[in-house]
Amino acid sequence: MTTPTTASSTVELDLRSRLRSLRAAVAGNVLEWFDWTLYATFAVYLGASFFESTDPTSALLATLAVFAAGFIARPLGGLLFGRLGDRIGRKRALILTMMTMALASLAIALIPSFEQIGVWASVLLTAARLLQGLAHGGESGVSYTYVAEISPAKHRGLWSSSVFVSVTIGVMLATLTGVVLTAIFSEADMGSFGWRIGFAIGALLGLYALYLRRAASESPVFEHGEQEQEVQEQDAPNASPRAVALIVAKVVLFSAASNVAYYTWVTFAPSFAIANHGMEPNGAFVASLLAQCVVLLLLPLFGHLADRFGRKPMLAVYGIGVVVVAFPVHWILGSEPWTLFVSQGIGLAVWAIVASIYPTLIAEQMPTKQRALGVGLLSSLSVAIFGGTAPYLNTWLTSIGMSWLFSVWVMFLGLLAVVAAVIIRETRGVELTEIEAAP
């Protein structure tokens, strides 16, 4: 139910203020994702630096295990910072997540190698990655909520696409860092110290992100929080256990394939090509960078189409697309950089269909007064369960000659997205303040 005070607070934020806040959110999100993605970008070098490197495949698997462990902390971050976002404001929570991420990146840049301190190098890397996971879990949930709440209802899909445009730019900057560093330094220098420069840059950029976020406006929903919250608590009933269960089920159904696709076809693709197909590192990073350029054009387009035709048909097309391309994406990839460009480009094009509207899609499933907490916790749990384990599962199945099984897994998750398209309600153009609980 929409209350007069809630509705009016949404109108009070004019278009100029909305755009200014959106720019600040996007800029901060770019830098946050740059820091987060560097781990996957330099996974091969991290494995050699912080684990026993006599068996490269074993070292890479150990690095990916730590990569997955970082996702364990994401739900905790979604819970902690989501709760803070609902209590102290979206803006302040986003500032805290950026500070935490910058600190973790600086720690990774400074950790001594396995040769210098032995197993403690692995322990410290794990601790830093857990800290990154905590920050990133909070960042994702609160930023999804923030962008959705400052967006005009009729164009929320298009505005929502800016989140993953900024995510992609952050990933591209991390990939570009790999391109530049591998071009400047020899393979030996990259393994010794070159990769550390990337994490040091990430820590420094984090300071700039703090400045940007301090200049952002607070979400109008939270700005009038005390008065609105009193009305909501009086007039809006708490969601029933059945409604909560339905929300969780819907989010898992449309998130599972998205997260597996993202961490398989986006962030880990270059490292997988280098480690498992013998692709030359610089060529792999360039090919990945070009593929990501393509998706930047597709994200706003798909967001606009979701505003025109609705969330349900876009989600159905996405699920079917995942089923269709799962095996071709795997078959195309070889040792030449062009194969990575084509393979990753196809995967990214399909992923962009749901990524363009994912922040608003998940926000639209939540009642207003628990939105930051619900979005943060559920999105982080889904990423942890499905996305965080995807690179390890893909690498392990490939190492035992059963890579086809991973493609089957991706296809199954794509079918779940189709199921989600059937059961979710259409929320195109609906004010977020009108969404109190799942039907």
Side-chain angles (χ1 to χ4, degrees):
M1 179 176 62
T2 305
T3 66
T5 54
T6 302
S8 65
S9 68
T10 304
V11 174
E12 285 173 12
L13 191 64
D14 60 30
L15 181 59
R16 179 175 297 181
S17 297
R18 291 176 190 265
L19 290 172
R20 183 174 61 249
S21 297
L22 182 66
R23 285 194 297 269
V26 166
N29 214 19
V30 167
L31 300 178
E32 177 86 16
W33 278 86
F34 173 82
D35 283 358
W36 173 253
T37 306
L38 280 178
Y39 189 99
T41 303
F42 293 131
V44 174
Y45 303 110
L46 291 168
S49 296
F50 297 122
F51 299 94
E52 179 56 52
S53 58
T54 53
D55 182 354
T57 299
S58 177
L60 180 59
L61 286 173
T63 307
L64 293 179
V66 175
F67 177 81
F71 287 82
I72 296 175
R74 286 195 61 161
L76 297 177
L79 178 63
L80 171 63
F81 290 105
R83 187 65 172 169
L84 287 174
D86 286 331
R87 284 183 174 272
I88 67 173
R90 320 312 195 199
K91 173 183 172 179
R92 290 180 181 176
L94 288 172
I95 290 174
L96 291 174
T97 61
M98 192 68 255
M99 291 174 62
T100 306
M101 180 64 77
L103 178 63
S105 294
L106 179 62
I108 293 176
L110 298 177
I111 296 172
S113 68
F114 186 89
E115 292 183 354
Q116 293 173 311
I117 61 174
V119 70
W120 281 107
S122 307
V123 172
L124 291 173
L125 176 66
T126 303
R129 185 60 180 176
L130 289 173
L131 195 61
Q132 279 194 327
L134 191 70
H136 203 61
E139 165 73 18
S140 296
V142 180
S143 66
Y144 294 171
T145 299
Y146 182 73
V147 172
E149 289 181 346
I150 65 173
S151 302
K154 292 183 179 180
H155 304 291
R156 196 160 54 238
L158 177 61
W159 281 48
S160 172
S161 69
S162 68
V163 173
F164 276 96
V165 167
S166 64
V167 168
T168 303
I169 292 174
V171 174
M172 288 176 65
L173 289 176
T175 306
L176 181 61
T177 300
V179 171
V180 172
L181 292 178
T182 53
I184 294 175
F185 299 110
S186 66
E187 186 66 21
D189 287 340
M190 278 298 300
S192 176
F193 65 87
W195 63 267
R196 294 179 184 271
I197 296 175
F199 285 96
I201 292 173
L204 291 175
L205 290 177
L207 298 177
Y208 179 59
L210 292 177
Y211 167 76
L212 292 176
R213 291 194 162 168
R214 287 179 64 85
S217 299
E218 183 54 81
S219 159
V221 174
F222 181 82
E223 193 80 310
H224 300 265
E226 291 186 0
Q227 181 181 3
E228 294 178 356
Q229 193 70 14
E230 289 177 2
V231 175
Q232 289 174 356
E233 288 174 355
Q234 295 170 5
D235 295 348
N238 291 325
S240 67
R242 178 182 176 277
V244 172
L246 185 56
I247 289 174
V248 173
K250 291 188 295 185
V251 170
V252 170
L253 287 173
F254 67 69
S255 297
S258 173
N259 288 316
V260 170
Y262 180 78
Y263 285 97
T264 303
W265 298 341
V266 185
T267 60
F268 186 64
S271 291
F272 183 82
I274 294 168
N276 293 91
H277 292 274
M279 191 174 294
E280 188 271 323
N282 186 258
F285 289 132
V286 171
S288 180
L289 188 64
L290 293 175
Q292 292 168 53
C293 287
V294 175
V295 82
L296 283 177
L297 302 177
L298 296 177
L299 285 166
L301 171 63
F302 291 143
H304 170 70
L305 292 177
D307 284 329
R308 182 173 181 181
F309 298 108
R311 315 323 189 201
K312 292 169 70 70
M314 296 297 289
L315 187 55
V317 170
Y318 163 72
I320 294 170
V322 169
V323 174
V324 171
V325 307
F327 271 100
V329 164
H330 171 72
W331 290 333
I332 292 171
L333 187 60
S335 60
E336 295 297 320
W338 71 266
T339 64
L340 176 61
F341 170 73
V342 175
S343 173
Q344 190 175 15
I346 293 173
L348 280 171
V350 173
W351 167 80
I353 298 172
V354 72
S356 63
I357 58 171
Y358 184 80
T360 199
L361 185 61
I362 189 171
E364 288 169 348
Q365 309 308 312
M366 307 291 172
T368 299
K369 62 181 179 180
Q370 294 98 15
R371 182 163 291 124
L373 176 60
V375 172
L377 182 59
L378 291 184
S379 63
S380 296
L381 278 172
S382 181
V383 171
I385 294 170
F386 298 101
T389 58
Y392 186 95
L393 183 62
N394 191 17
T395 300
W396 176 66
L397 289 174
T398 300
S399 70
I400 62 175
M402 297 185 66
S403 58
W404 61 271
L405 190 56
F406 185 80
S407 296
V408 172
W409 170 240
V410 173
M411 293 175 68
F412 170 73
L413 297 180
L415 291 175
L416 293 185
V418 177
V419 174
V422 174
I423 67 173
I424 67 170
R425 62 175 175 174
E426 183 57 67
T427 48
R428 173 173 59 104
V430 178
E431 290 286 353
L432 286 178
T433 50
E434 297 177 9
I435 302 173
E436 295 302 335

